């Protein structure tokens, strides 16, 4: 198992959001985290990265990562594209990308920049531009590029389709698949658009008010109409 | 009752040949369309096609170059931003722009700001007129709290609320100002299927109850196509389609630029 | 819940009472602050804020009265010297003075610092008939015995000092073109007034340019350049030490060689001349009334030996180049003379009467020949001074002792 | 019962503050409380613009100075009774505040803070300026008379001054509370939290920012007037930059955007310097600095913030 | 004409002082998005450390280097001990902390080192003035130092990985952590570097204005003015702003309003410039989509 959570709890100040959940992300897999607003999906991703106070166990490649500072978790190989994309609005596209490769000291960075430009040609055009001037779709691409430049083994995506046009959403999911298949990056994705998410994922968990109410292979959930109607509403 | 009549029978909102440039970039290259009274108009298009720019031109945040935007026959060009609310244009924001340190109730009351008139001195002295205004606002507020199911959180600070609730607060804040035109910027963003269906019901309810028009910028095709009376599609600052939802989503240009094959089929 | 609010309410009010620490006990003696065993003296000082350099005076006075007490006090009583901080802010001076007078019940206020600060309390002190003795400011107004019977100065007034320079210029360089650099406050402006007194009708013709600076200015280079540019060949600098030292250096750096007068305030060898450079100050003229602790001329002087002995014993860690300690010692000596003259009657009226009845008092730290004299119609204890010129090593006195 | 008591606590506080100290405290202590009332109003003014409207001002000492000088000049030159100078001072300070607020429309956050800070630094030099010297008394300042109690009341001048200041302060607090509780106050805070949205709600940013500045300057100016009457002296050195900083400190320790916290802030700036000075004559500034830092360390939201948190937990 | 030139050069010399302190302000702003009101007092305190070392017989440049290291440490420690716990506090509380620090450093300097004016040596020698007598050797030398610091700061932010990370940490701490930046370390580094730059400024300034606890109180305001005028996000702008303020102030004081309104004039000009161009002459306007 690449990532393993046991009895994970999380809270913001007084309000508890996660009440002890267990889940895993398989090496080389795409796992989807589904559920309604306020179910705790985003918090789960934040908990993995040490951005909220947690209890319980978190293991990445067998090592305990809970309680470690965010930057150390990230450096160990987990990239996180947060909700709102976390773009450095005031910096240029170039600087955003350079920050993505911040933890790396190997010589492959330049080659990876080129790979990103092939994957996202828009970014090459906008290279010198201030990132705040990018459109929503371009910012999402920049955020993913930034995360990939870290050369992660696990990629956390928080609502990659948010605010994006249907075509772009398809494109983003296509890219996700490619990253996963070609580069072997495992993915944990949080998504409102359940049908889209289930189409790319191999495994899914359904969260409801901080508890996992359902889990299983994505294909099964997709096929099971009663589950879809009851929990996903489509 | 209407402001600056003359063409009161015409469409509520008329966008005529609006051009908008940022430096060298042309964000809107001459867009025209109308929104009729009690209509819901969907505005779609790829990211960066100029939807939000157009939205901001209508609400006065940007000053467009040439062209004209008319509301109830009256030109909005050169009008100060804060005048929009008074004319009857209300809006929400893509990423939710609430007053974070304030309660739900106070947020909503700010939405009714332009309906009252007493100034600094009257407020400091708490003159009877001011008190009457406050009381009047409270009445509308109560009605909306129930309609949007916000009564339970009325005294909560908005920053402590979940995203979906904050979106409802923002909607309530826009509605309390009694707008004739409501500009909604991606109200379905971040909502799941069930919530989107609720939103759809709510939008219809609002139109009926408040007798207003809605201009809807939204990527959620199911919602746009089901709720809109007409749809306008933009690409690269140009209008590529305009018409009924059915017509627009069959438009090859729209499919190529925006929907992609699968989505078009799915939405249909 | 309401209890918490109430508690905090009470808490707030009691905070006020705490700071004052109880009400003054009923006075058992006729004169507040004077008992069978002690005399209370109050003092406000700038221990914080922009003028905190003068805090040294307060520390010096504390040490001085400790010495007095070690030596047995006066009239069988010890001195209880209460000094408080006013941050050089007049409103706080008022508050602190009221505390000293009403709360602590001092017999009189001694050597409060600052012109605006003393102005702020002057009316109060006189209304209350509490002596405001030997104020630590050289403004000319502190000799107004007619209006302010209870307020008395100590050091020579700036205005009289400036008049001395004016007379010297008239006598030795009648065609002088004068430039004046002054601090834009009461201190600086007194020098302008003094020059007007001294030059009379010729002021307009002789003073070719005046330039002011603010204490917040980082440098006065521009003003010096302006004065030189105006064609001045005689320069009067009415500036505090930092700016005086800058002026000496800038004048030297731009190779300007005016006849250079410098206020007594900035005549300290250690604090002004040395930082500016001994050689750069050659020719600078000032008046003196007190001995400079860093001037080699007084190395073996009996009076200064006495002062050094005091410093060694009571302020062993203090900076001996700081002229404020010499100043404090002089004020202390004068005060003790007043108290000794009081005999057994330490009423406020008698203290004031004796303060205005000093005759030819010799203070060991004042220049030879300078004596302190007061009378009911003379509230300027030190009126004498002597011109002196920097020769590269020491202040060289010249001419007569002058007095106004 | 509890709730009613809670709702009326300002009234109780006022009654308590009026009666108890007047009877129980010495004249000197009353004078200190008078200054607390004065500072409370000054900080209240600052709180309106900085706390509620989000425009950071580090230069409110300037308005305090204008108020003080208006009162001093009117009393000294024209023999106007002290109480009659207050409305004039309020008006003039409101106008001054309005004018200072104009550039504030363009300068946000930090830039405004530093510009107002510069104004605070320049205040003494402007007061000394020779063109106004005829009125302001230049560097010498103006000495004014202490008001006597009216109507032959059987109290002394200090007691009267305290009650007068307290009454004025109470009125100012009432006005300010009315202002921030209602529509205008909500709009002020809306402008602070989210100006773009506020504008979309029909709030005229320019109008609100400048008028808020005017109201704020008016309150602080009235405090200046009261301060001048209490101190009986105004001079440029009384209004150095440290005054502005002190008011700001009072605001922060009391609690930003809290009307009640203002009172605590006033107590803090009145008494902590004396406390610091009693701890160390050698470095009172250091003690004051440490107390301030320690306080903010423990209560970053000021006293009001800490109490709010406590109430939420309770 | 000669007088005018003289005023200009004298203004440039003073402007250099403002510029060097303004650089420290830009550094801390870029690293933390705070304006540190205690920056000037910290610089003054560092200068006392340098003087103590020099008086103890340490050669000038050694003392210079040691002072930089010590100042860096003081800055970093202040950040760690005081500012880290305040990370989530309101901005105004941080300003309160800065005021507290200002009072503390000022008061402690007086307490430890006394208030007597102290001369501070110049590494450039006394010698005769240069450039036809318009500038002293020290003024030339310190201007060169300021420019060298400017160049380093600019290059640091523009080209180095650390400089980029530091700016990122200030703009968006959460995202910075997510790309692996240790934000706390960046903040401490920023404070340290700002304190070290301040120390350089202090050591250059002290020779001109003499060392005493209030040495920086006047300078700081003008440095603020310079930094704002040039744009607080731009090291280059801050330096140019510093020089411009120095010259403007001199010319205005000498020829326009007289010295007593020098500061007020400078204030008016700055407000005017900012009203026309709110981000300063060289500051970047940040565009953000609504």
């Amino acid at each position: 198992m690449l990532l393993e959570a046991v009895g994970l709890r999380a809270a913001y100040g007084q309000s508890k959001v996660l009440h002890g959940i267990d889940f895993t992300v398989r090496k080389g897999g795409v796992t989807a985290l589904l559920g309604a607003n306020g179910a705790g999906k985003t918090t789960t991703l934040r908990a993995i990265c040490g951005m909220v106070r947690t209890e319980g166990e978190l293991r990445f490649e067998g090592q305990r990562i809970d309680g470690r500072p965010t930057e150390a978790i990230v450096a160990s190989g987990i990239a996180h594209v947060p909700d709102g994309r976390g773009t450095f609005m005031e910096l240029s596209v170039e600087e955003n990308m350079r920050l993505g490769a911040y933890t790396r000291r190997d010589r492959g960075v330049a080659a990876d920049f080129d790979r990103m430009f092939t994957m996202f040609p828009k970014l090459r055009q906008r290279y010198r531009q201030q990132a705040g001037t990018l459109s929503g779709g371009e910012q999402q691409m920049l955020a993913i590029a930034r995360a990939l430049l870290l050369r992660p083994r696990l990629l956390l995506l928080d609502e990659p389709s948010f605010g994006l046009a249907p075509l772009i959403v398809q494109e983003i999911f296509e890219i996700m698949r490619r990253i996963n298949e070609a580069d072997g990056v495992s993915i944990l994705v949080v998504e409102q658009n359940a049908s889209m998410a289930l189409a790319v994922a191999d495994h899914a968990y359904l969260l409801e008010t901080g508890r996992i109410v359902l889990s299983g292979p994505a294909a099964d959930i997709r096929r099971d109409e009663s589950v879809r109607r009851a929990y996903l509403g489509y | 009752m209407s402001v600056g009549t003359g063409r009161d029978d015409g469409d509520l909102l008329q966008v005529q040949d609006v051009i908008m440039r940022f430096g060298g970039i042309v964000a809107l290259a001459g867009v025209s369309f109308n929104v009729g009274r009690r209509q819901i108009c969907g505005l779609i298009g790829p990211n960066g096609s100029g939807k939000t720019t157009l939205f901001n031109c209508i609400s006065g945040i940007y000053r467009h170059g040439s062209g004209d935007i008319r509301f109830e026959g009256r030109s909005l060009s050169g009008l100060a931003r804060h005048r929009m609310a008074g004319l009857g244009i209300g809006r929400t924001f893509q990423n939710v722009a609430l007053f974070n340190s304030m309660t739900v109730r106070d947020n909503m009351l700010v939405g009714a700001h332009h309906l009252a008139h007493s100034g600094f001195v009257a407020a400091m002295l708490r003159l009877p007129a001011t008190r009457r205004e406050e009381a009047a606002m409270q009445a509308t507020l109560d009605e909306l709290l129930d309609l949007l199911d916000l009564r339970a959180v009325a005294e909560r600070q908005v920053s402590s609320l979940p995203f979906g609730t904050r979106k409802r607060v923002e909607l309530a804040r826009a509605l309390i100002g009694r707008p004739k035109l409501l500009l909604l910027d991606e109200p379905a963003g971040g909502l799941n299927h069930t919530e989107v269906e609720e939103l759809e019901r709510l939008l219809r309810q609002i139109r009926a109850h408040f007798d207003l028009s809605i201009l809807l910028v939204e990527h959620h095709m199911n919602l746009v196509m089901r709720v809109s009376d007409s749809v306008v599609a933009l690409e690269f600052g140009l209008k590529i389609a305009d018409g009924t939802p059915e017509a627009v989503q069959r438009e090859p240009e729209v499919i190529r630029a925006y929907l992609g094959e699968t989505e078009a089929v799915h939405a249909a | 819940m309401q209890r918490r609010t109430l508690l905090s309410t009470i808490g707030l009010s009691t905070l006020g009472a705490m700071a004052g620490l109880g009400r003054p006990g009923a006075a058992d003696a006729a004169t507040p602050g004077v008992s069978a065993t002690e005399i209370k003296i109050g003092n406000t000082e700038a221990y914080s804020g922009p003028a905190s350099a003068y805090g040294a005076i307060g520390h010096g006075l504390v040490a001085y009265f400790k010495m007095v007490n070690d030596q047995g006090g006066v009239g069988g009583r010890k001195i209880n010297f209460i000094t408080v901080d006013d941050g050089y802010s007049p409103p706080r001076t008022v508050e602190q003075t009221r505390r000293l007078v009403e709360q602590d019940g001092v017999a009189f206020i001694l050597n409060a610092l600052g012109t605006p600060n003393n102005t702020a309390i002057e009316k109060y002190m006189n209304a209350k008939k509490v002596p405001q003795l030997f104020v630590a400011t050289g403004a000319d107004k502190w000799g107004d015995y007619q209006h302010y019977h209870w307020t008395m100065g100590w050091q020579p007034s700036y205005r009289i000092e400036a008049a001395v320079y004016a007379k010297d210029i008239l006598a030795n360089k009648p065609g002088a073109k004068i430039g004046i650099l002054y601090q834009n406050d009461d201190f600086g402006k007194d020098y302008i007034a003094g020059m007007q007194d001294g030059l009379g009708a010729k002021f307009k013709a002789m003073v070719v340019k005046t330039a002011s600076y603010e204490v917040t200015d980082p440098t006065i280079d521009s003003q010096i350049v302006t004065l030189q540019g105006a064609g001045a060949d005689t320069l009067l600098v009415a500036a505090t030490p930092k700016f005086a030292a800058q002026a000496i250096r800038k004048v030297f750096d731009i190779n300007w060689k005016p006849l250079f007068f410098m206020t007594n305030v900035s005549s300290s060898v250690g604090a002004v001349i040395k930082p500016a450079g001994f050689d750069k100050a050659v020719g600078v003229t000032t008046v003196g009334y007190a001995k400079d602790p860093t001037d080699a001329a007084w190395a073996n002087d009996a009076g200064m030996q006495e002062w050094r002995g005091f410093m060694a014993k009571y302020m062993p860690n203090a900076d001996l180049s700081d002229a404020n300690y010499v100043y404090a010692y002089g004020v202390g000596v004068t005060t003790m003379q007043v108290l000794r003259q009081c005999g057994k009657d330490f009423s406020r009226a008698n203290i004031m009467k004796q303060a205005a009845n000093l005759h030819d008092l010799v203070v060991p730290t004042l220049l030879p020949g300078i004596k302190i004299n007061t009378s009911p119609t003379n509230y300027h204890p030190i009126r004498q001074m002597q011109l002196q010129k920097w020769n590269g090593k020491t202040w060289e006195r010249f001419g007569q002792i002058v007095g106004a | 019962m509890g709730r009613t008591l809670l709702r009326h606590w300002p009234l109780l506080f006022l009654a308590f503050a009026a009666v108890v100290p007047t009877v129980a405290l010495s004249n000197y202590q009353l004078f200190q409380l008078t200054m607390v009332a004065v500072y409370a109003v000054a900080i209240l003014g600052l709180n309106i613009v900085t706390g509620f409207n989000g425009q950071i001002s580090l230069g409110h000492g300037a308005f305090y100075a204008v108020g003080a000088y208006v009162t001093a000049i009117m009393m000294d030159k024209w023999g106007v009774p002290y109480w009659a100078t207050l409305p004039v001072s309020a008006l003039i300070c409101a106008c001054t505040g309005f004018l200072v607020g104009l550039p504030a429309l363009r300068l946000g956050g930090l830039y405004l803070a530093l510009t107002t800070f510069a104004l605070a630094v320049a205040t003494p030099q402007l007061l000394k300026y020779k063109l106004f010297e005829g009125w302001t008394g230049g560097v010498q300042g103006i000495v004014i008379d202490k008001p006597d109690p009216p109507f032959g009341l059987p109290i002394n001048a200090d007691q009267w001054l305290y009650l007068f200041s307290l009454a004025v302060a109470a009125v100012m607090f009432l006005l300010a509370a009315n202002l921030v509780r209602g529509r205008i106050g909500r709009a002020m805070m809306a402008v602070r939290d989210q100006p773009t949205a506020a504008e979309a709600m029909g709030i005229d940013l320019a109008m609100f920012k400048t008028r808020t500045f005017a109201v704020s300057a008016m309150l602080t100016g009235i405090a200046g007037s009261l301060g001048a009457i209490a101190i009986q002296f105004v001079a440029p050195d009384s209004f150095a930059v440290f005054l502005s900083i002190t008011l700001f400190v009072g605001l922060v320790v009391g609690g930003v955007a809290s009307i009640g916290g203002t009172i605590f802030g006033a107590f803090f700036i009145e008494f902590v310097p004396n406390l610091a000075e009693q701890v160390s004559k050698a470095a009172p500034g250091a003690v004051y600095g440490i107390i301030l830092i320690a306080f903010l360390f423990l209560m970053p939201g000021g006293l009001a913030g800490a109490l709010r948190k406590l109430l939420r937990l309770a | 004409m000669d007088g005018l030139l003289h005023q200009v050069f004298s203004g440039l010399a003073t402007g250099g002082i403002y510029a060097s302190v303004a650089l420290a302000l830009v550094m801390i702003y870029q690293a933390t998005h705070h304006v540190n009101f205690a920056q000037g007092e910290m610089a003054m305190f560092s200068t006392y450390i340098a003087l103590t070392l020099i008086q103890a017989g340490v050669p000038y440049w050694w003392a210079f280097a040691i002072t930089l290291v010590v100042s860096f440490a003081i800055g970093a420690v202040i950040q760690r001990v005081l500012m880290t716990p305040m990370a989530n506090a309101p901005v105004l509380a941080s300003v309160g902390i800065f005021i507290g620090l200002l009072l503390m450093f000022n008061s402690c300097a007086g307490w430890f080192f006394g208030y007597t004016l102290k001369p501070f040596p110049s590494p450039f020698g006394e010698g005769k003035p240069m450039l036809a007598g318009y500038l002293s050797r020290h003024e030339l030398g310190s201007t060169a130092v300021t420019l060298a610091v400017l160049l380093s700061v600019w290059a640091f932010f523009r080209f180095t990985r650390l400089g980029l990370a530091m700016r990122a940490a200030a703009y968006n701490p959460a995202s910075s952590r997510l790309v692996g930046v240790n934000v706390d370390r960046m903040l401490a580094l920023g404070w340290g570097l700002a304190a070290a730059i301040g120390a350089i400024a202090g050591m250059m300034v002290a020779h001109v204005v003499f060392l005493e606890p209030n040495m920086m109180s006047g300078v700081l305001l003008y440095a603020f003015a310079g930094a704002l005028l040039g744009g607080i996000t731009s090291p280059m702008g801050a330096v140019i702003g510093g020089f411009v303020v120095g010259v403007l102030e001199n010319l205005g004081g000498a020829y326009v309003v007289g010295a007593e309104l020098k500061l007020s004039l400078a204030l008016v000009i700055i407000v005017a410039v900012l009203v026309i161009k709110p981000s300063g002459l060289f500051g970047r306007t940040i565009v953000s989509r609504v």
Side-chain angles (χ1 to χ4, degrees), chain B residues 81 101 113 116 118 124 134, chain D residues 178 183 186 192-193 199 202:
Chain B
R81 287 170 210 171
S101 68
H113 181 86
S118 61
M124 281 200 269
E134 287 278 316
Chain D
N178 280 345
R183 166 176 174 267
R186 284 192 300 267
R192 172 193 68 191
D193 282 5
E199 227 175 359

Side-chain angles (χ1 to χ4, degrees), chain D residues 50 56 58 103 106-107 110-111 114-115 117-119 121-122 125-126 129-130 196 242 245 248-249 251-252 256 280 282-286 288-290 292-293 296-297 300-301, chain E residues 29 35 37 81-82 85-86 89-90 92-93 95-97 99-101 103-104 107-108 111 221 224 228 231-232 260-264 267 271 274-280 290:
Chain D
T50 298
I56 301 177
L58 289 170
R106 296 274 299 176
L107 303 179
L110 186 64
Y111 288 84
L114 291 176
T115 312
F117 180 64
L119 175 69
V121 177
Q125 108 174 185
L126 289 169
Y129 191 53
K130 49 181 179 268
T196 312
F242 197 67
I245 296 197
F248 187 83
V249 165
L251 167 69
V252 175
V256 171
S280 162
Y288 186 69
I290 289 169
L292 174 60
I293 290 173
L296 289 176
F297 213 71
Chain E
Y29 183 80
V35 167
F37 283 84
V81 175
L82 287 183
M86 299 294 288
L92 295 186
V95 180
I97 297 265
I99 293 172
L101 280 174
L103 294 171
M104 250 175 66
S107 188
C108 286
W111 187 18
L221 179 75
F224 276 145
L228 289 190
I232 194 140
E260 66 260 48
L261 285 187
K262 239 165 73 162
L263 174 64
S264 311
L267 168 68
V271 171
L274 290 180
V275 163
I276 296 162
K277 195 164 183 312
S279 56
V290 184

Side-chain angles (χ1 to χ4, degrees), chain E residues 85-183:
Chain E
M86 299 294 288
N88 297 319
V91 186
L92 295 186
S94 313
V95 180
I97 297 265
F98 296 143
I99 293 172
L101 280 174
L102 183 151
L103 294 171
M104 250 175 66
F105 275 108
N106 183 288
S107 188
C108 286
W111 187 18
F112 298 160
F113 307 109
Y115 289 94
T116 324
L117 209 57
K118 301 226 167 57
F120 192 86
S122 165
F124 309 107
E126 289 287 320
K128 273 280 137 196
M130 316 181 61
L131 280 184
Y134 286 127
L135 286 176
S136 74
R137 295 174 74 97
H138 178 80
E139 285 165 344
L140 269 182
S142 63
T143 306
V145 168
T146 303
L147 294 178
V149 175
L150 162 66
L151 202 69
S152 329
V153 170
W154 175 76
F156 174 76
F157 280 129
R158 181 73 187 80
F159 296 117
T160 69
R161 179 174 158 273
L162 213 54
L164 176 61
M166 201 181 266
R167 279 157 65 210
Y171 280 126
N172 194 337
S175 285
S176 301
R177 288 199 179 89
L178 285 179
V179 294
V181 174
N182 186 332
V183 172

Side-chain angles (χ1 to χ4, degrees), chain B residues 61 81-82 85 93 97-102 106 109-111 113 116 118-120 123-126 134 137 173, chain D residues 175 178-179 181-184 186-187 189-190 192-194 196-204 208 211-212 215:
Chain B
I61 287 184
R81 287 170 210 171
H82 66 267
F93 294 80
L98 289 170
F99 310 118
N100 276 329
S101 68
M102 297 160 68
D106 282 350
L109 286 174
V110 174
H113 181 86
S118 61
F120 276 72
M124 281 200 269
L125 299 174
R126 221 169 167 68
E134 287 278 316
M137 278 191 213
R173 185 182 66 180
Chain D
L175 294 182
N178 280 345
L179 185 69
R181 260 205 328 242
R183 166 176 174 267
I184 301 287
R186 284 192 300 267
M189 288 184 267
R192 172 193 68 191
D193 282 5
Q194 189 47 268
T196 312
E199 227 175 359
M201 303 300 123
I203 296 168
D204 182 350
F208 259 85
R211 292 202 185 167
T212 307
V215 169

Side-chain angles (χ1 to χ4, degrees), chain A residues 3 5 8 18 21-25 30-36 39-48 156-160 176 187-194 197-198 201-208 211-215 218 221 232:
Chain A
L3 182 79
L8 185 66
L18 296 181
I21 58 172
D22 304 335
F23 64 90
T24 55
V25 177
V30 177
T31 305
L33 218 48
L34 307 173
K41 305 184 301 294
T42 295
T43 306
T44 308
L45 295 195
R46 294 171 64 89
I48 295 171
L156 311 180
L157 289 170
D158 199 347
E159 301 233 15
M176 258 169 70
I187 295 174
L188 177 61
V189 60
V190 158
E191 183 54 63
Q192 292 290 5
N193 191 333
L198 288 173
D202 51 58
H203 203 91
Y205 291 91
L206 195 90
L207 276 174
E208 222 173 61
R211 289 187 178 80
I212 289 178
V213 290
L214 188 78
S215 73
I221 297 180
L232 302 174

